[in-house]
Amino acid sequence: KVNESATLKREKIVNITLAGNEYIAIIKPVQPKNTFGLRWIIIYSNLNKIIEMQWKINIILFVILLLCAIITMIFSSMVSKKIAAPFSAVNEHIRAIAERNFGRKINLDVDDEFRELVNNINLMSDKLNSHDMAQKIFLQNASHEFRTPLMSIQSYAEGLKYGVVDSDTAAGVIIDESKRMANLVEEILYLSRLDAIEENYNFTVIDFNELVKSCVKYMSGIAMKENIKIDVEASSEKIEIYADEEKISRAVTNIISNCIRFAESTVKIEYAIKENKMLEINISDDGPGFDENDLPNIFNRFYKGKKGKFGLGLAISKSIVEKHKGEITAKNLPKGALFTILLPLGR
């Protein structure tokens, strides 16, 4: 190879086979750069050792790759289990909710990204549980409310049958109890319609001054019968709200009716526009006020306080006001009770 490269001017790489061994050589001409007759520098190496080293390197790389794959699989399995655990718990919790088991909560140590979802599901479960309990209590109380007039009607009807009760007395009781049941059924149906998604609200611009006059006129007969005076302190300016006139009228009259029931002599109505563009309506009486234990529950359906029963009227008022994006609250005054209704003026 060297002899074949006698006229070699540039570096050359050659492969040589000798005694069954493979060699690789680099022939580099150096004659022009020396004065002592050196013509080439030849560097060579046995390829078998290089191939052997290459195989060792490949084996090492394969082992490293295999170990990395095993470590990756273990790590991926751990991460996937950590990710899947909250989802499995959430799915199990949702299935429990579907089976009306609302009392359970998801108690998991999760990352911030997932914590909000878990908290919202727990909140939903609590609200569903509260709603379910309220429904059960509502049905129990409704059954009790119906049982009393039905028993009275049955008793007086049997008295008429066997001639042990005066017919006029029995007829009067039966008529009164029938009216009571009819009113109760009407209130239940009305409240159920308010809660229904398909219930229509006919929003229009309403003159609130005229609405209050109409409510007071409607309740004046009951007030006169109970020797109660309704005192209205109206705003001097014209007040218009965007609301369903029939439903807002019912909400206001229910509050007035409740105040008349407990007032000693006067029911007072005040209303005015506040700085936050909200209409504030205050309806108060001079009665004994609420029992402190009753205050948190007076807007619940069929809740009965120690001083009487609140029935469905206040629950209906609360539902109507909230559907109008308003707020209704109650508190005790030094003398009597106060209901406050806040309604937005605009749409």
Side-chain angles (χ1 to χ4, degrees):
K1 291 293 183 179
V2 170
N3 291 335
E4 291 174 1
S5 305
T7 59
L8 188 66
K9 301 289 183 167
R10 299 171 58 188
E11 177 183 300
K12 185 177 181 181
I13 299 175
V14 297
N15 293 320
I16 304 169
T17 302
L18 181 63
N21 293 324
E22 292 283 337
Y23 295 87
I24 186 169
I26 297 176
I27 305 174
K28 188 173 182 64
V30 294
Q31 184 177 4
K33 299 180 181 180
N34 69 88
T35 58
F36 46 84
L38 182 63
R39 301 181 63 184
W40 307 282
I41 291 178
I42 302 172
I43 303 172
Y44 68 94
S45 177
N46 192 333
L47 282 180
N48 291 337
K49 293 184 178 180
I50 295 176
I51 294 171
E52 182 182 352
M53 183 176 65
Q54 184 179 8
W55 271 102
K56 290 180 179 178
I57 292 173
N58 289 339
I59 291 172
I60 292 172
L61 290 176
F62 177 77
V63 171
I64 292 173
L65 180 64
L66 184 62
L67 289 175
C68 289
I70 293 172
I71 293 172
T72 302
M73 290 176 61
I74 295 173
F75 181 75
S76 300
S77 177
M78 293 172 61
V79 171
S80 63
K81 287 180 179 179
K82 184 178 179 180
I83 295 174
F87 285 99
S88 299
V90 168
N91 288 332
E92 183 181 353
H93 189 68
I94 291 174
R95 283 194 294 269
I97 291 175
E99 298 295 329
R100 300 179 65 85
N101 183 9
F102 305 121
R104 298 174 56 188
K105 284 190 176 183
I106 305 174
N107 296 313
L108 287 175
D109 185 15
V110 294
D111 296 330
D112 293 338
E113 295 81 2
F114 203 68
R115 184 174 293 110
E116 185 176 359
L117 175 62
V118 171
N119 291 339
N120 287 334
I121 292 177
N122 286 334
L123 180 62
M124 178 188 68
S125 180
D126 288 339
K127 289 189 175 181
L128 286 173
N129 187 45
S130 299
H131 180 73
D132 188 58
M133 291 297 297
Q135 289 288 86
K136 291 177 181 177
I137 294 172
F138 176 81
L139 291 174
Q140 291 171 1
N141 291 336
S143 300
H144 178 74
E145 289 292 325
F146 279 115
R147 186 182 297 114
T148 302
L150 284 172
M151 289 177 64
S152 297
I153 291 172
Q154 181 181 357
S155 299
Y156 279 93
E158 290 176 351
L160 282 175
K161 179 179 179 181
Y162 296 109
V164 296
V165 178
D166 179 66
S167 59
D168 292 337
T169 302
V173 171
I174 290 173
I175 291 172
D176 290 340
E177 293 298 328
S178 298
K179 288 180 179 179
R180 179 183 169 190
M181 289 181 61
N183 291 334
L184 188 60
V185 169
E186 194 275 333
E187 285 187 338
I188 292 174
L189 292 176
Y190 190 85
L191 188 58
S192 66
R193 290 200 306 270
L194 291 178
D195 291 340
I197 298 175
E198 64 272 10
E199 171 65 7
N200 293 322
Y201 278 72
N202 300 315
F203 286 88
T204 57
V205 178
I206 301 170
D207 185 337
F208 192 76
N209 295 304
E210 293 299 323
L211 184 141
V212 171
K213 290 180 183 178
S214 176
C215 293
V216 171
K217 183 179 179 180
Y218 177 77
M219 298 302 299
S220 59
I222 299 174
M224 289 177 61
K225 183 179 178 181
E226 300 293 334
N227 294 319
I228 302 297
K229 177 186 176 183
I230 301 178
D231 185 12
V232 180
E233 293 187 10
S235 174
S236 59
E237 59 181 320
K238 183 177 181 180
I239 298 176
E240 291 183 340
I241 62 172
Y242 188 70
D244 186 309
E245 183 173 5
E246 184 270 330
K247 292 181 175 60
I248 286 294
S249 296
R250 181 145 190 167
V252 173
T253 53
N254 283 347
I255 300 298
I256 296 174
S257 174
N258 188 86
C259 289
I260 290 173
R261 186 189 310 164
F262 294 98
E264 292 182 1
S265 61
T266 306
V267 172
K268 189 175 183 180
I269 302 173
E270 300 174 289
Y271 57 93
I273 297 176
K274 297 301 177 181
E275 294 179 357
N276 57 357
K277 301 298 182 182
M278 296 286 286
L279 173 61
E280 182 178 282
I281 310 149
N282 292 313
I283 305 174
S284 60
D285 61 65
D286 60 351
F290 301 108
D291 188 284
E292 290 298 328
N293 295 326
D294 293 336
L295 266 176
N297 304 302
I298 61 173
F299 294 107
N300 294 342
R301 303 174 187 185
F302 284 113
Y303 177 76
K304 291 185 177 182
K306 295 180 180 178
K307 299 178 182 178
K309 68 174 186 177
F310 299 102
L312 291 172
L314 296 183
I316 290 173
S317 296
K318 183 175 186 290
S319 179
I320 291 172
V321 170
E322 289 180 347
K323 288 293 177 66
H324 284 78
K325 299 180 181 179
E327 180 183 352
I328 182 170
T329 57
K331 67 178 182 179
N332 283 322
L333 297 174
K335 177 66 174 176
L338 170 66
F339 290 91
T340 299
I341 300 173
L342 292 174
L343 291 174
L345 294 176
R347 301 190 178 188

